[in-house]
């Protein structure tokens, strides 16, 4: 991914790119927690010196920023795709949900880290604000679909949005890319179960 702030595969010392460094850092952050992970531990996991890490990034917090931006940039990219910007709102909403599941499957460690952010630093607070912006996009789609008569009106759009993405986010607890279930199959399962209770009879029949 080449969006702002993401790892691009720049190479420094032999054997380690920024991308491989970032993946290892995210794995450690998820295992031990960001605050409990030291640069010494990261260097030991990589089999390099700390100076080799600093060739790529100036600090541990920069690794966190890059990791969170990677997940968020991928999610926001979905909202800019044609399927998310044209057509009936219910179809756009389904596209965003499907795309979000695919992002989760493709960037599972990064999304997992994002969902554990609690706002303990400026970097985490910025990530939470971007998550809230994403949530507002989804809520607006739900509201638009309700206005078009395709989503049942008896549930608040903000609640529907939270329920949808509560389902998507829960996938980080059990989904494994090597477990035999493809990202497309996973997206189909989420959409089928979630939208069955969301669509009005008119939308289901249409």
């Amino acid at each position: 991914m080449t969006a702002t702030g993401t790892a691009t595969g720049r190479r420094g010392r032999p054997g380690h790119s920024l991308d491989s460094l970032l993946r290892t850092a995210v794995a450690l952050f998820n295992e031990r927690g960001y605050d409990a992970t030291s640069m010494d531990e990261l260097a030991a996991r990589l089999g390099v010196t700390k100076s080799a890490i600093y060739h790529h990034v100036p600090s541990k917090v920069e690794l966190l920023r890059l990791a969170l931006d990677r997940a968020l940039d991928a999610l926001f990219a979905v909202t800019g795709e044609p399927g998310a910007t044209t057509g009936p709102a219910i179809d756009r909403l389904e596209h965003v949900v499907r795309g979000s599941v695919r992002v989760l499957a493709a960037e599972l460690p990064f999304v997992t880290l994002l969902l554990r952010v609690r706002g303990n630093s400026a970097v985490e607070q910025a990530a939470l604000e971007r998550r809230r912006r994403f949530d507002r996009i989804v809520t607006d789609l739900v509201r638009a679909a309700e206005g078009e008569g395709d989503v049942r009106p008896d549930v608040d759009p903000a609640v529907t949005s939270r329920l949808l993405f509560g389902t998507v986010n829960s996938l980080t607890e059990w989904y494994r890319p090597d477990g035999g279930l493809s990202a497309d199959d996973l997206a189909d399962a989420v959409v089928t179960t979630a939208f069955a209770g969301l669509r009005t009879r008119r939308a289901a029949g249409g």
Side-chain angles (χ1 to χ4, degrees):
M1 295 181 188
T2 57
T4 302
T6 53
T8 59
R10 163 192 164 201
R11 289 199 168 273
R13 301 288 181 94
H16 287 291
S17 65
L18 178 54
D19 184 70
S20 65
L21 165 61
L22 191 58
R23 288 182 179 278
T24 302
V26 169
L28 265 177
F29 294 163
N30 284 333
E31 287 171 21
R32 297 180 51 78
Y34 170 75
D35 291 331
T37 301
S38 70
M39 293 295 266
D40 285 319
E41 289 170 317
L42 178 56
R45 176 71 64 93
L46 288 164
V48 300
T49 62
K50 282 198 294 184
S51 64
I53 298 174
Y54 292 131
H55 174 82
H56 291 288
V57 292
S59 63
K60 185 176 77 164
V61 71
E62 178 66 5
L63 286 169
L64 179 64
R65 186 188 70 80
L66 289 170
L68 297 176
D69 279 352
R70 179 163 172 156
L72 286 160
D73 289 347
L75 288 170
F76 273 96
V78 172
T79 68
E81 293 171 352
T85 57
T86 59
I90 188 71
D91 293 339
R92 287 183 278 142
L93 178 62
E94 181 176 322
H95 181 91
V96 171
V97 172
R98 284 184 180 278
S100 298
V101 173
R102 292 191 182 103
V103 168
L104 182 143
E107 304 288 0
L108 184 59
F110 296 87
V111 175
T112 299
L113 182 64
L114 173 64
L115 296 178
R116 294 177 179 176
V117 162
R118 293 296 179 266
N120 296 330
S121 66
V123 166
E124 292 189 16
Q125 290 165 11
L128 287 176
E129 176 54 33
R130 290 189 72 191
R131 276 189 64 187
R132 286 190 285 269
R133 283 169 47 204
F134 181 84
D135 290 344
R136 287 194 291 271
I137 291 172
V138 176
T139 299
D140 287 346
L141 283 174
V142 175
R143 187 173 287 113
E146 180 181 308
E148 292 171 6
D150 292 328
V151 167
R152 50 190 301 166
D154 53 337
V155 181
D156 182 87
V159 173
T160 298
S161 175
R162 291 189 184 100
L163 290 172
L164 277 174
F165 277 85
T167 300
V168 174
N169 294 342
S170 72
L171 302 177
T172 61
E173 300 299 324
W174 61 267
Y175 178 70
R176 296 296 175 265
D178 57 357
L181 183 64
S182 73
D184 286 340
D185 288 342
L186 185 63
D188 285 343
V190 170
V191 167
T192 297
T193 55
F195 280 72
L198 182 65
R199 291 177 184 266
T200 60
R201 287 179 180 158
R202 185 183 84 84

